[in-house]
Amino acid sequence: DAGVIQSPRHEVTEMGQEVTLRCKPISGHNSLFWYRQTMMRGLELLIYFNNNVPIDDSGMPEDRFSAKMPNASFSTLKIQPSEPRDSAVYFCASILGAGKRTDTQYFGPGTRLTVL
Amino acid sequence: AQSVSQHNHHVILSEAASLELGCNYSYGGTVNLFWYVQYPGQHLQLLLKYFSGDPLVKGIKGFEAEFIKSKFSFNLRKPSVQWSDTAEYFCAVKPPGNEKLTFGTGTRLTIIP
């Protein structure tokens, strides 16, 4: 299994530009999570989906952030417009599904975002 | 809502020393507990997990953790650390059947050769 796939691995952009991060969960997993990791705030859950439906987006910092999951094998996290304080590593994770014995989250390699 | 505390922010040990990293959680009901490790520049990987049964859980790379319900703790241990254990360690908790994991702030472990 290829595991959770994220792209790009590194992104450098200028303030005000739109940034789109991509994630492909493990095949067959039906829950997907977006996290942000910074030195100051640690690992924060931004949003998660169950069966492509957003369940909890309370961690999304503000309206500049949006996430979609158009199908079971793809999700995007978009920041528009980006700001320097958005610089962080963004992780995507997936699990098989709620209530199952093997409900362990598997993380992708992350996207390191730098906003200048 | 659940929360997780990792009181050790940075631990420095020599090789072959014994390790214990603290993790305490607050939640009124049954929980699933996890330890993840993040090696420098890499993503989080699962070390071990507890769902039910034997409260002493063995994970990969010689790590183990003990769930003590009365103390709301799930401390991570290793009898003899190696330089390659240098990493950041995260404790996490969630209610069974709920996908949302709550992570602690992490403990940075530095092993001196």
Side-chain angles (χ1 to χ4, degrees):
Chain A
D1 195 322
V4 176
I5 299 172
Q6 290 187 246
S7 64
R9 295 293 307 276
H10 301 273
E11 176 81 29
V12 180
T13 191
E14 291 186 345
M15 183 173 63
Q17 296 298 306
E18 177 181 295
V19 174
T20 299
L21 311 181
R22 297 172 176 80
C23 175
K24 176 179 168 52
I26 293 173
S27 178
H29 284 194
N30 54 29
S31 293
L32 181 142
F33 305 77
W34 281 102
Y35 290 89
R36 178 172 67 177
Q37 185 179 39
T38 61
M39 289 289 290
M40 293 295 293
R41 300 172 69 91
L43 198 64
E44 305 172 275
L45 177 65
L46 300 177
I47 184 171
Y48 81 92
F49 297 83
N50 192 28
N51 292 320
N52 312 337
V53 176
I55 302 299
D56 184 344
D57 65 355
S58 59
M60 295 286 262
E62 48 197 275
D63 291 345
R64 297 184 297 105
F65 285 70
S66 62
K68 294 182 179 179
M69 192 164 186
N71 57 62
S73 59
F74 183 66
S75 176
T76 59
L77 177 67
K78 185 177 292 186
I79 308 172
Q80 165 65 13
S82 58
E83 296 183 2
R85 60 192 168 118
D86 301 331
S87 297
V89 181
Y90 291 81
F91 288 103
C92 177
S94 69
I95 63 171
L96 187 60
K100 292 185 169 54
R101 181 68 185 173
T102 54
D103 53 351
T104 299
Q105 289 191 23
Y106 293 89
F107 283 76
T111 295
R112 182 174 294 277
L113 173 65
T114 303
V115 183
L116 303 174
Chain B
Q2 61 267 30
S3 66
V4 180
S5 295
Q6 292 182 247
H7 302 294
N8 310 109
H9 297 295
H10 189 191
V11 173
I12 302 173
L13 294 172
S14 299
E15 273 191 310
S18 64
L19 169 71
E20 182 161 2
L21 301 182
C23 172
N24 288 90
Y25 68 93
S26 65
Y27 184 71
T30 305
V31 291
N32 298 149
L33 296 154
F34 305 80
W35 275 98
Y36 281 85
V37 60
Q38 186 177 28
Y39 296 104
Q42 297 189 27
H43 62 285
L44 276 78
Q45 303 171 42
L46 183 69
L47 263 183
L48 48 79
K49 59 188 177 184
Y50 171 81
F51 287 114
S52 64
D54 188 344
L56 184 62
V57 180
K58 294 196 183 297
I60 61 172
K61 304 187 180 187
F63 286 91
E64 65 178 31
E66 185 175 12
F67 170 49
I68 303 179
K69 189 175 181 180
S70 61
K71 295 184 178 180
F72 297 89
S73 70
F74 190 56
N75 292 354
L76 181 71
R77 300 195 294 247
K78 186 171 183 178
S80 177
V81 293
Q82 301 171 306
W83 178 79
S84 58
D85 293 325
T86 294
E88 188 145 16
Y89 293 81
F90 293 90
C91 182
V93 61
K94 71 174 189 68
N98 183 330
E99 300 95 330
K100 189 172 178 179
L101 266 178
T102 300
F103 283 89
T105 51
T107 296
R108 185 153 62 100
L109 176 65
T110 301
I111 305 301
I112 301 170

